Amino acid sequence: MSDKLLLTTDMVASNDILNPFIHHLELTTTYDKIRTAVFTIIILPIRLAIISGVLILAWILACIGLYGLTEEDLTKKPITGWRRLTKKIASVMMRFMWLVAGFHYVPIKGKQATRKEAAIFVTAPHSSFVDILPVVKIGAPTVVAKKEIGLIPIFGKILNFTQPIYVGRDDPDSRQKTIQDIIDRTTSKEDWAQVLIFPEGTCTNRSCLITFKPGAFYPGVPVQPVLIRYPNKLDTVTWTWDGPGALKLLWLTLTRAHSKCEIEFLPVYTPNEEEKKDPKLFAHNVRNVMAKALGIPTSDYTYEDCRLVKKAKELQLFQNSQLIHTQKLRIRLGITRRKVELQYLTANQNIFKPDQRQFLNKQQFVEFLGIHDHGDHELEELFQIYSIHENGDTFIDLQKYLLAVLLIEKSTSRNDMVHLAFGWLSNSVDKKWFQYIMSLVHGMSYDHAETIFNEITLKEKSTIKYDEYLTHTRMYPETIEDNNNQSTVYIHKKDN
């Protein structure tokens, strides 16, 4: 099987099981339905009561253990003495909580490495909030988690007791700080707990291993791969972007007689000199080892692609849409994180005026984006999407590129995209701009867009306003055909 899986062409209504972000869960047999109903009445209240009590006790221990410590104390040095003992007691209580939840026996294969042997646990697949169970079974190591988790009542305080490394996914500066924190922890001479990282960065349905983020591999130290399996007949634990919510999964999990989870420690992976210099190569090779042990393929999709799937659904766009393809390349190049174009638009509010039109060659485009690696395949592809050929030279129309970025970043629906485009173009667009907007938003051919433009203007005006466009589409909605499943032609001639 190929080591690169592709999401189905239709990103809006995909049922393809190879999409790592989809999970379907329904009770299909009468037996399952009756058993779930009985357990909901009899077993669920008892389990919830015990789990709540255990959580409160663990929270109290965490409060005691953290008393007198500042946030800086937790990040600068490991807890010791009675605080560390209190942490171990809290960890045992959390294990008991999962026992009550139905995870009666969690077999562990392989040998867990010491901190001296491997300072980092690389754990995958990451598919559920139940992955907390392997964390407590390993001994409550330091975890790398998003900041929002630390704000969850009760659980956030318990997590803070493990001295986690928090990352802000939407903060462009947080990534570098997180990497430095991981390096500091894993290379420190102090007796820090081992660091556990889910390098996929988001939950999948375990059908493949998606791209590993390189954070765990920047220190260049030996890591121990840790595999998680949930060999249950009914999968009530997988929590993905397109699937059951957390409450439904919790309900169905707690109304099972018992659930299975298996943990396997693979041999410590020691990087060679090339991998120490290239964290992405290190991550790629470790992922291949883990995928082989799991017997599943790998996929080049990332957490950012997961967000892109959600964005595509919001905007009702398909994978081969020019806007989605543009955003995917921008994600790969790290442009979305730095918000280069949006900062430029903020500083140049009049950029879409006719006298502000700019054509950049590839070198100028590279400088505009602030990308230093000129050999990137993604950069070349992005340039070609908006390239214009004239007299043997190739340029990019900066106005058209910036409008495309603006639409994918700032819109919440297709109608919103059209409205936003008209607004940035002073609410009045000529035929060429109208054709371009319809091509971006609806995947419409330029000829079809020209026909609509002529119908609205009656061939008497050179521009149209948004209200005129909106009135026409309400009267004749069939004229705005859904052409997103058609191939988009990206190469254009330079407009005079």
Side-chain angles (χ1 to χ4, degrees):
M1 185 178 292
S2 170
D3 68 348
K4 183 175 182 179
L5 296 175
L6 294 178
L7 293 178
T8 180
T9 300
D10 183 350
M11 294 180 73
V12 176
S14 171
N15 289 317
D16 191 337
I17 62 171
L18 295 182
N19 182 334
F21 308 129
I22 284 182
H23 176 55
H24 299 289
L25 173 61
E26 297 296 338
L27 299 177
T28 57
T29 68
T30 302
Y31 173 72
D32 278 336
K33 293 177 182 178
I34 293 175
R35 183 175 60 179
T36 299
V38 172
F39 271 56
T40 299
I41 296 172
I42 300 175
I43 304 298
L44 182 60
I46 297 174
R47 282 181 167 174
L48 285 177
I50 297 175
I51 288 172
S52 298
V54 172
L55 274 176
I56 291 174
L57 289 175
W59 173 76
I60 292 173
L61 286 175
C63 290
I64 294 172
L66 294 173
Y67 181 77
L69 296 179
T70 65
E71 185 176 338
E72 184 178 359
D73 291 334
L74 289 173
T75 58
K76 295 300 182 183
K77 57 183 179 181
I79 58 175
T80 58
W82 66 270
R83 297 183 193 272
R84 178 166 290 191
L85 177 61
T86 306
K87 174 186 170 183
K88 289 182 178 179
I89 297 173
S91 177
V92 171
M93 296 182 68
M94 294 297 290
R95 294 187 201 181
F96 176 72
M97 182 192 75
W98 287 108
L99 175 65
V100 173
F103 292 88
H104 302 150
Y105 176 59
V106 181
I108 297 178
K109 302 178 182 179
K111 181 183 177 183
Q112 180 175 341
T114 64
R115 186 180 189 277
K116 185 177 180 180
E117 294 169 326
I120 299 176
F121 295 122
V122 176
T123 311
H126 184 27
S127 62
S128 174
F129 50 80
V130 182
D131 291 343
I132 299 169
L133 172 58
V135 174
V136 297
K137 287 289 289 186
I138 290 173
T142 292
V143 296
V144 178
K146 58 183 180 180
K147 285 184 178 179
E148 293 80 0
I149 295 179
L151 301 177
I152 298 175
I154 298 179
F155 180 73
K157 180 70 73 172
I158 298 172
L159 179 63
N160 285 338
F161 205 12
T162 70
Q163 297 183 277
I165 297 173
Y166 284 126
V167 56
R169 283 172 167 172
D170 298 321
D171 181 359
D173 298 324
S174 178
R175 179 173 175 269
Q176 292 302 322
K177 183 180 182 302
T178 301
I179 291 172
Q180 189 57 51
D181 286 344
I182 294 172
I183 294 173
D184 292 343
R185 293 279 184 100
T186 55
T187 59
S188 173
K189 300 296 183 181
E190 296 191 73
D191 189 22
W192 284 100
Q194 288 161 286
V195 176
L196 185 145
I197 299 176
F198 294 100
E200 291 174 292
T202 191
C203 291
T204 71
N205 57 20
R206 299 190 301 281
S207 62
C208 61
L209 289 184
I210 64 173
T211 299
F212 280 10
K213 289 178 173 292
F217 307 94
Y218 273 101
V221 298
V223 301
Q224 182 168 36
V226 182
L227 309 180
I228 305 176
R229 298 183 179 91
Y230 295 98
N232 299 297
K233 184 177 180 181
L234 182 66
D235 185 358
T236 63
V237 301
T238 298
W239 187 27
T240 60
W241 284 64
D242 190 350
L247 289 179
K248 180 178 180 179
L249 293 173
L250 187 61
W251 164 56
L252 291 176
T253 299
L254 294 179
T255 53
R256 308 297 293 171
H258 60 87
S259 299
K260 298 178 182 179
C261 174
E262 297 176 354
I263 302 171
E264 181 178 0
F265 291 98
L266 296 182
V268 172
Y269 189 107
T270 302
N272 57 35
E273 291 304 316
E274 186 178 4
E275 289 170 331
K276 289 179 181 178
K277 296 176 182 177
D278 187 348
K280 291 184 178 180
L281 175 65
F282 189 5
H284 177 81
N285 291 342
V286 171
R287 183 180 65 151
N288 285 344
V289 169
M290 297 178 74
K292 184 177 181 181
L294 289 163
I296 60 176
T298 60
S299 164
D300 286 342
Y301 280 90
T302 65
Y303 165 74
E304 285 74 18
D305 290 314
C306 186
R307 297 179 67 179
L308 187 57
V309 169
K310 183 180 179 182
K311 186 71 173 182
K313 290 181 68 175
E314 290 176 353
L315 300 178
Q316 296 180 300
L317 295 174
F318 291 76
Q319 184 182 10
N320 62 351
S321 158
Q322 181 173 338
L323 288 176
I324 293 299
H325 193 55
T326 297
Q327 187 71 346
K328 186 180 298 184
L329 293 172
R330 292 178 65 243
I331 289 171
R332 293 281 192 268
L333 291 166
I335 304 171
T336 55
R337 187 171 57 250
R338 293 185 290 113
K339 303 184 183 300
V340 175
E341 303 96 337
L342 296 182
Q343 291 176 6
Y344 181 83
L345 285 166
T346 300
N348 298 271
Q349 296 285 332
N350 298 322
I351 184 61
F352 292 109
K353 289 188 175 182
D355 61 350
Q356 295 294 314
R357 201 165 185 186
Q358 299 180 48
F359 297 95
L360 309 180
N361 59 32
K362 186 178 178 181
Q363 178 62 34
Q364 292 169 327
F365 186 55
V366 167
E367 293 173 358
F368 171 76
L369 297 177
I371 298 175
H372 304 294
D373 187 354
H374 298 193
D376 273 342
H377 169 73
E378 289 84 0
L379 176 60
E380 177 64 29
E381 193 171 351
L382 182 62
F383 182 76
Q384 289 300 325
I385 289 177
Y386 297 92
S387 64
I388 298 168
H389 301 302
E390 183 180 82
N391 300 327
D393 295 322
T394 305
F395 304 91
I396 191 170
D397 188 329
L398 186 60
Q399 284 185 332
K400 288 187 174 181
Y401 171 72
L402 289 174
L403 184 63
V405 171
L406 188 65
L407 297 188
I408 193 65
E409 288 280 2
K410 295 294 185 179
S411 303
T412 57
S413 66
R414 285 195 194 179
N415 288 337
D416 189 36
M417 282 192 281
V418 178
H419 190 197
L420 187 65
F422 270 81
W424 275 86
L425 295 167
S426 302
N427 199 39
S428 182
V429 301
D430 60 19
K431 183 167 64 178
K432 292 184 182 297
W433 271 117
F434 183 77
Q435 289 173 312
Y436 180 65
I437 294 168
M438 292 297 102
S439 172
L440 286 179
V441 177
H442 294 287
M444 189 180 295
S445 70
Y446 273 44
D447 288 342
H448 187 187
E450 182 178 12
T451 299
I452 295 176
F453 185 88
N454 290 335
E455 289 174 355
I456 296 174
T457 62
L458 300 177
K459 297 185 178 181
E460 295 177 355
K461 297 193 303 178
S462 61
T463 62
I464 61 173
K465 295 183 177 180
Y466 177 73
D467 290 342
E468 295 172 322
Y469 161 80
L470 193 60
T471 300
H472 180 82
T473 55
R474 286 174 176 172
M475 292 177 62
Y476 309 103
E478 68 278 2
T479 61
I480 308 299
E481 294 180 358
D482 187 354
N483 295 309
N484 279 282
N485 59 342
Q486 298 178 4
S487 297
T488 304
V489 178
Y490 297 140
I491 308 301
H492 309 291
K493 294 181 180 179
K494 184 174 178 180
D495 299 327
N496 295 323

